[in-house]
Amino acid sequence: MTEASLYDQILDFANRANPWPLYEKLRSQPVWQESDGTFVVSTYREIYALMHDPRLSSDMTNLLPQFADRVPPAEGPHSFITTDPPRHDVLRRLAMRQFGPPHRPDLIDKLTPALSAIVAGLIDKIAEKQEVDLVDEVAYPFPVAVICHLLGVPPEDEPKFSAWVNPIVNALARPTPEQAQARDDARQHMSNYMFELAQRRRTEPGDDMISGYVTDDGPDGRLEGGDLFATLMLLLIAGHETTVNLITNGWLTLQRHPDVLERLRTEPRFAIRLVEELLRYEPSVHILPFRTAVADIEIGDTTIRKGHPIAVMLASGNRDPECIPHADRFDPDRADNVHLSFAGGIHYCFGAPLARLEAQIALTQLAKRLHNPRLVADPPPYRPSPVLRGPIHLPIAYESILPS
Amino acid sequence: MTSMRVVVDLTKCEGYAQCAFLAPEAFRMVGDEALMFDPAPPDELQEKVLRAAAACPVQALQVDMADLPTPPPTATVSADGDDRLRHEGRIVIVGASLAGLKAAEQLRAEGFTGKLTMIGDEPEEPYDRPPLSKQVQTGWAASADTTLPRRRDIAADWKLGVAATGLDLEHNFVTLADGQHVGFDRLLIATGVRARPWFVPEEAGLDGVFTIRTRADATGLRERLLAKPRRVLVIGSGFTGSEMASVCVELGIPVTVAEAGPAPLAGALGGVIGRIAADIMREHGVDLRVNTRVDSLQGEDGRLRRALLSDGTTLDVDVAVVALGGIRNVEWLQGSNLAVGMWGVACDAGCRAFDANGLVTDDVFVAGDVARQPQPMFGYQFLAMEHWGNSVTQAQVAAHNMISGKTDRWPHLEVSAFWSLQFGNNIKSVGVPVIADQIAITQGSVDKRQFVAAYGYKGRVVGAVAWNQGKWLDFYEKLIEQAAPFPPPYDMTNPPADPTPVPAEFPAMTYPGRDATVVVTGHDPSERRATLVRGRR
Ligand SMILES: Cc1cc2nc3c(=O)[nH]c(=O)nc-3n(C[C@H](O)[C@H](O)[C@H](O)COP(=O)(O)OP(=O)(O)OC[C@H]3O[C@@H](n4cnc5c(N)ncnc54)[C@H](O)[C@@H]3O)c2cc1C
């Protein structure tokens, strides 16, 4: 047995609460090749260049055969995050058509009052208590309610789909055979569920996104079959999992920086830049675990080999002192905050505007309404995934809840 | 008059649409990735606009300092910097537009606390020109609202509405049209270009004949377009002419484009791309006449009525837009003994002006459209880049060097870039396509109008153009800096139907010494350096 590589150590659950020192060591060399053939890229400039490099591929059929067992079967249905242009561009445009500009430019903007109302309601519910798990009470139910509303997924189905989400998320980085099996089963169940839901919306359309997908033809036609179910699964999962982490990581960071929390209480609009810095400092997505290359890519002194897996270490890039001044300092006043937390290039996070608004609204309201909040445990317990990283629970205590 | 001011650096913008989501009233996507913005969104949108600015992944959105904390100056400590100059020096900037303003902001950002004078012959504070042929003409923004936002307080003495008429380098002062003398320790020349007028003065004076360079031009033209002219004639189909044709189509006004060359945009992007541009124009119903000149413009009672074309036809038109490029504003420098001419004011890579002997000056700097600078990446040719992004980066380098000692000077080594928005297409380019001999489609589909093409000269990459595929250009910029082989010798995702290089078809021009002479490394302006390439790569 060789010694665990830095990447192995990062994937190791034991390091979940504090991977930052490992990232720092990793950055001593922009690209590492793991003994299993994976290339690990951890420095800001190299990550930024890769995101704009047309040799980089998100389509796992471009992996060499010896790596193919690490990812969901290539012949399954695909959404835009696991495809390359030109198919990617069409799938993403079709998905975007029901979500944002140019076709529905003000959907998210118009949602702002509803977002505030949902958070206010969730905080009202914990008024009688003095100690809660912030994940269970706010950070999770809030984005779930929002994505269900947007997509047109019945909120009462949450227990059903949450049981499928975990096996899928847990198998993101380097699944064991059992994890891979559980993931594939969950995907099958979820796909069937989406199929039924889409059928229902076809006959009784509402103004939700799923209804749009199954009834509205744009210049590119319509999302259909496996593409539709894969896209819906992606939107449902990515539409809340990452935001839960953003809100939870955000609150944790605020409690660790009381002066900043105080500014959020008092300074109007402070949340705008605060959330940008939170995204940089404690991103929800730490790693893009599976990219590959359709040609050899030379970066720095290394050549990333065609067809090998590439792990892109977004969170590490965000703290690269070569490009980000005082990178390890949490500084909401930072100018020109160009973090990598939503990736970049054509795969830039689809739901980023929604995630930003949700975090801005949730954190502001929590700051204004929780009287004397404190952490019950620091560090809190973390979720298993090294990819979508965040606390699984965030127990907090407070004296009272102030009126909104 | 207290509304916010906004400008988007569309050279940087990659079309992520975050602003259009978060402040849809102020930012609008056209197609997948082209952006239109309101340069003066109403006050009630302030919070949304700040949200949009914070969210921009490439930080391309600039808002007034209003409501933003002013960051402390990032004074660079220079080894042999002239501290007195930094603290008490007098700096004069002639030309109060994009380059002038950006230089002023950079000076203050770097801790210049001396006296700063801004001289401009236009009556207005610096404003943004690109919207004048785009959202101003379609009516989405008002010409009067294009004032550039200030990133910081530049504490300048403004002399607006008065032209500089002379420069005395023996005693270091600028003469103004009103007779004033303004002395300086450092001077920045940023007088840009003016529109080339129609060549027959009596015809140019007809009511209905327009150029577009200034706010007043744009206002007048917009009024005329609102009056529903029978037909608009666009003379010249470079970027401005093509954008105007697109505006007419959007407004439902019949439009004829007369182009003396073989295709639209051919001067900047070559004949291969020009033919694609021509197809697009015709698909949108533009009456495009290539290899056709306008012989004369005819009027009645002082108003434009007709145009005679070299193809023998006569057109009934009420409006003619003369889009024949620019003339550099150098006349005021005639007696100065600087190296000026129709190509602009020559300067070194650090923006220091050359005198007529070809000796570099130490106290006179040049930036923006009027500057003609050697391009180390392109055989050290002197080129003037009339692009927005170039004005900004050049102004920043010039400002830095004005107050820095000689061991601390920066070379201006940015890869030139520009954008244009026409017929719903986002066209972006990097490098210097005009020097290329070949072009190859490298990604995507020309038929779908979603592609990237690389330009090569003698087997290396010198430029690229993206058609609704702007997110890839960062990659090509690096190829250009590295003098990478052309055509790029590897597979890419989204391969084109035919990647074979073909002649780029630029109008014949002679450029001496186009071989790769250097490769450029480094990222921040302070670290960018050129290294000579020995022999052929
Ligand atoms: C209609 C239009 C559309 C454009 N669209 C694009 C685009 O899509 N993409 C792109 O990259 N670029 C575009 N540009 C180009 C871009 O606007 C210019 O590159 C930029 O304005 C150059 O800035 P500058 O400060 O160097 O010069 P200018 O903006 O020309 O400013 C020079 C200033 O100096 C003044 N001046 C001149 N002589 C004197 C004197 N003797 N004394 C005092 N003042 C003087 C002038 O009046 C003017 O105010 C466009 C330009 C126009 C006109």
Side-chain angles (χ1 to χ4, degrees):
Chain A
M1 240 345 245
T2 48
E3 204 195 328
S5 72
L6 286 166
Y7 188 53
D8 288 336
Q9 294 177 56
I10 289 164
L11 298 188
D12 184 348
F13 182 68
N15 292 311
R16 200 67 73 245
N18 187 15
W20 305 106
L22 292 168
Y23 292 149
E24 186 181 340
K25 287 189 196 153
L26 201 61
R27 284 191 304 266
S28 65
Q29 186 177 314
V31 184
W32 296 76
Q33 183 169 12
E34 295 294 300
S35 56
D36 72 358
T38 302
F39 287 88
V40 180
V41 185
S42 60
T43 44
Y44 184 95
R45 271 188 194 117
E46 282 66 26
I47 293 172
Y48 191 89
L50 267 189
M51 315 264 75
H52 292 81
D53 193 320
R55 294 168 291 185
L56 192 76
S57 172
S58 298
D59 176 351
M60 293 305 112
T61 58
N62 287 318
L63 279 176
L64 293 173
Q66 66 262 38
F67 304 114
D69 59 340
R70 304 208 194 147
V71 286
E75 67 276 12
H78 283 279
S79 69
F80 50 86
I81 57 165
T82 47
T83 49
D84 294 333
R87 186 157 171 234
H88 161 273
D89 296 1
V90 174
L91 290 176
R92 183 162 168 137
R93 218 169 21 238
L94 283 167
M96 188 55 84
R97 193 173 158 80
Q98 305 306 329
F99 182 68
H103 191 63
R104 292 187 84 174
D106 53 11
L107 178 72
I108 296 306
D109 178 49
K110 290 251 163 67
L111 208 58
T112 314
L115 300 180
S116 295
I118 297 172
V119 178
L122 291 168
I123 299 179
D124 288 343
K125 275 208 234 160
I126 56 169
E128 303 299 307
K129 307 184 183 168
Q130 262 138 14
E131 192 172 324
V132 294
D133 175 3
L134 194 74
V135 176
D136 282 353
E137 302 299 334
V138 180
Y140 180 76
F142 172 40
V144 166
V146 175
I147 197 67
C148 285
H149 166 80
L150 271 172
L151 284 174
V153 169
E156 59 275 16
D157 288 351
E158 183 276 329
K160 215 192 288 189
F161 66 72
S162 76
W164 301 321
V165 169
N166 285 329
I168 294 176
V169 169
N170 292 342
L172 281 175
R174 191 187 277 164
T176 61
E178 300 76 49
Q179 283 176 323
Q181 187 57 50
R183 171 199 63 203
D184 293 345
D185 291 346
R187 284 175 63 94
Q188 191 55 50
H189 286 300
M190 207 167 176
S191 184
N192 294 344
Y193 171 79
M194 288 301 180
F195 173 78
E196 280 170 31
L197 199 57
Q199 285 300 77
R200 246 186 292 159
R201 291 287 175 270
R202 223 181 295 263
T203 47
E204 316 154 30
D207 59 4
D208 53 79
M209 290 170 64
I210 296 182
S211 298
Y213 290 137
V214 296
T215 57
D216 169 36
D217 280 338
D220 296 294
R222 194 184 277 197
L223 270 175
E224 259 157 343
D227 291 345
L228 174 63
F229 311 131
T231 304
L232 293 180
M233 278 160 60
L234 170 70
L235 297 182
L236 181 57
I237 299 174
H240 71 274
E241 276 296 291
T242 48
T243 315
V244 178
N245 286 342
L246 179 56
I247 296 171
T248 315
N249 288 332
W251 190 257
L252 175 63
T253 308
L254 285 170
Q255 293 266 263
R256 287 170 175 173
H257 296 84
D259 48 324
V260 179
L261 179 54
E262 184 53 31
R263 287 178 66 186
L264 182 59
R265 281 195 190 97
T266 51
E267 280 181 39
R269 298 172 184 169
F270 183 62
I272 296 173
R273 274 171 308 135
L274 168 70
V275 164
E276 227 48 54
E277 177 67 348
L278 283 172
L279 279 162
R280 183 193 73 84
Y281 192 75
E282 285 283 356
S284 305
V285 182
H286 270 228
I287 309 173
L288 301 178
F290 279 107
R291 292 287 189 270
T292 187
V294 297
D296 288 357
I297 299 177
E298 279 175 32
I299 12 181
D301 300 328
T302 317
T303 300
I304 293 179
R305 296 266 163 235
K306 172 180 172 169
H308 280 243
I310 303 170
V312 185
M313 311 300 281
L314 299 175
S316 166
N318 278 348
R319 299 239 192 151
D320 182 348
E322 282 288 308
C323 296
I324 315 277
H326 55 272
D328 271 327
R329 189 178 349 132
F330 178 60
D331 174 12
D333 293 324
R334 179 181 294 282
D336 289 335
N337 193 344
V338 282
H339 56 72
L340 301 167
S341 305
F342 291 124
I346 60 166
H347 290 285
Y348 189 85
C349 175
F350 184 88
L354 178 59
R356 285 182 161 113
L357 268 184
E358 288 175 322
Q360 287 169 12
I361 290 169
L363 294 172
T364 306
Q365 287 202 27
L366 286 168
K368 293 205 163 144
R369 297 189 62 194
L370 300 188
H371 183 48
N372 278 339
R374 60 183 169 80
L375 295 175
V376 172
D378 189 3
Y382 275 79
R383 294 165 187 274
S385 174
V387 173
L388 306 185
R389 171 187 169 272
I392 192 161
H393 301 293
L394 189 63
I396 55 162
Y398 44 87
E399 278 173 35
S400 63
I401 297 286
L402 306 173
S404 59
Chain B
M1 281 309 287
T2 57
S3 63
M4 302 180 85
R5 298 163 180 178
V6 169
V7 72
V8 182
D9 181 341
L10 291 168
T11 310
K12 271 193 194 169
C13 171
E14 292 185 15
Y16 290 109
Q18 302 303 294
C19 54
F21 268 104
L22 294 170
E25 300 92 338
F27 304 93
R28 183 191 290 173
M29 298 309 289
V30 182
D32 287 342
E33 60 172 53
L35 175 67
M36 292 262 244
F37 62 93
D38 179 351
D43 269 353
E44 64 264 24
L45 293 182
Q46 218 175 58
E47 178 160 358
K48 289 188 190 178
V49 171
L50 291 176
R51 225 178 235 150
C56 177
V58 290
Q59 292 291 290
L61 216 154
Q62 304 175 4
V63 183
D64 268 329
M65 2 163 250
D67 214 53
L68 301 170
T70 314
T74 52
T76 45
V77 186
S78 61
D80 59 342
D82 186 342
D83 259 11
R84 257 196 44 148
L85 177 75
R86 264 172 195 271
H87 300 311
E88 300 160 32
R90 298 163 305 159
I91 294 185
V92 170
I93 295 178
V94 182
S97 178
L98 180 63
L101 179 64
K102 290 296 156 188
E105 289 178 344
Q106 182 79 16
L107 285 168
R108 293 300 188 204
E110 290 198 24
F112 173 67
T113 52
K115 184 165 162 44
L116 181 59
T117 309
M118 299 283 291
I119 300 167
D121 62 0
E122 293 188 83
E124 304 101 332
E125 288 177 46
Y127 58 88
D128 199 30
R129 298 184 200 276
L132 301 182
S133 57
K134 303 177 184 80
Q135 56 268 53
V136 166
Q137 297 306 329
T138 53
W140 204 54
S143 177
D145 283 344
T146 53
T147 304
L148 284 163
R150 301 280 173 76
R151 298 217 89 183
R152 60 179 64 246
D153 182 6
I154 60 169
D157 178 13
W158 293 85
K159 297 187 189 298
L160 294 178
V162 54
T165 50
L167 170 62
D168 183 329
L169 285 180
E170 209 167 315
H171 307 99
N172 275 8
F173 65 83
V174 172
T175 313
L176 304 190
D178 61 8
Q180 284 186 74
H181 288 186
V182 187
F184 60 81
D185 300 305
R186 294 283 185 277
L187 170 70
L188 179 68
I189 298 171
T191 44
V193 310
R194 60 182 181 274
R196 183 178 299 283
W198 181 239
F199 60 89
V200 185
E202 308 81 69
E203 298 179 9
L206 287 171
D207 190 9
V209 179
F210 291 91
T211 54
I212 326 178
R213 184 79 199 176
T214 66
R215 218 180 228 182
D217 295 341
T219 309
L221 179 56
R222 168 71 187 156
E223 277 169 16
R224 250 346 127 69
L225 295 182
L226 273 179
K228 289 278 160 202
R230 290 172 298 168
R231 177 169 289 276
V232 171
L233 170 64
V234 176
I235 308 175
S237 62
F239 286 103
T240 308
S242 299
E243 286 175 9
M244 278 313 305
S246 167
V247 163
C248 291
V249 167
E250 197 176 329
L251 296 177
I253 302 170
V255 56
T256 297
V257 173
E259 166 59 51
L265 309 184
L269 295 173
V272 175
I273 297 297
R275 278 192 292 280
I276 297 168
D279 288 345
I280 291 178
M281 270 197 190
R282 294 196 169 114
E283 280 160 25
H284 284 85
V286 174
D287 171 27
L288 170 67
R289 319 258 183 115
V290 294
N291 300 313
T292 304
R293 287 171 195 284
V294 175
D295 286 335
S296 72
L297 298 174
Q298 298 184 347
E300 281 164 20
D301 305 327
R303 292 196 62 149
L304 175 69
R305 305 303 296 173
R306 272 179 308 280
L308 269 50
L309 274 52
S310 65
D311 62 7
T313 54
T314 302
L315 291 176
D316 288 336
V317 295
D318 299 325
V319 172
V321 181
V322 181
L324 296 173
I327 299 176
R328 295 184 172 80
N329 291 316
V330 295
E331 292 79 359
W332 68 285
L333 296 167
Q334 282 314 332
S336 68
N337 201 37
L338 287 178
V340 301
M342 63 178 284
W343 299 108
V345 185
C347 61
D348 76 352
C351 302
R352 293 180 299 174
F354 283 115
D355 73 9
N357 301 306
L359 292 175
V360 79
T361 57
D362 269 328
D363 39 12
V364 182
F365 292 74
V366 198
D369 282 5
V370 76
R372 202 179 152 229
Q373 194 168 48
Q375 302 287 317
M377 273 176 262
F378 306 98
Y380 290 100
Q381 291 173 81
F382 280 80
L383 296 175
M385 302 286 173
E386 292 178 41
H387 305 318
W388 198 98
N390 181 69
S391 292
V392 173
T393 55
Q394 224 169 20
Q396 287 165 342
V397 168
H400 170 85
N401 290 344
M402 285 171 104
I403 53 170
S404 297
K406 68 177 172 213
T407 55
D408 191 29
R409 283 184 196 130
W410 299 343
H412 182 243
L413 293 173
E414 289 307 307
V415 174
S416 164
F418 70 84
W419 82 94
S420 175
L421 168 54
Q422 38 186 281
F423 305 101
N425 294 293
N426 190 38
I427 306 169
K428 296 195 77 169
S429 167
V430 291
V432 186
V434 290
I435 67 167
D437 52 17
Q438 287 194 305
I439 184 171
I441 309 295
T442 49
Q443 288 173 258
S445 155
V446 171
D447 291 341
K448 294 208 179 95
R449 318 287 191 222
Q450 284 162 3
F451 66 90
V452 186
Y455 290 88
Y457 180 73
K458 284 197 181 170
R460 70 186 172 99
V461 180
V462 293
V465 63
W467 214 279
N468 301 315
Q469 290 285 306
K471 292 187 179 71
W472 300 113
L473 281 183
D474 186 73
F475 174 73
Y476 291 85
E477 194 176 315
K478 301 224 155 50
L479 296 185
I480 296 165
E481 286 174 1
Q482 292 153 17
F486 175 90
Y490 34 70
D491 290 337
M492 299 190 199
T493 52
N494 202 10
D498 182 4
T500 319
V502 295
E505 300 178 36
F506 281 99
M509 265 192 246
T510 45
Y511 286 104
R514 284 188 264 185
D515 283 338
T517 35
V518 301
V519 293
V520 170
T521 54
H523 302 275
D524 298 329
S526 61
E527 353 167 290
R528 285 179 73 75
R529 293 293 175 269
T531 313
L532 281 170
V533 185
R534 305 245 168 253
R536 273 196 62 79
R537 287 161 62 86

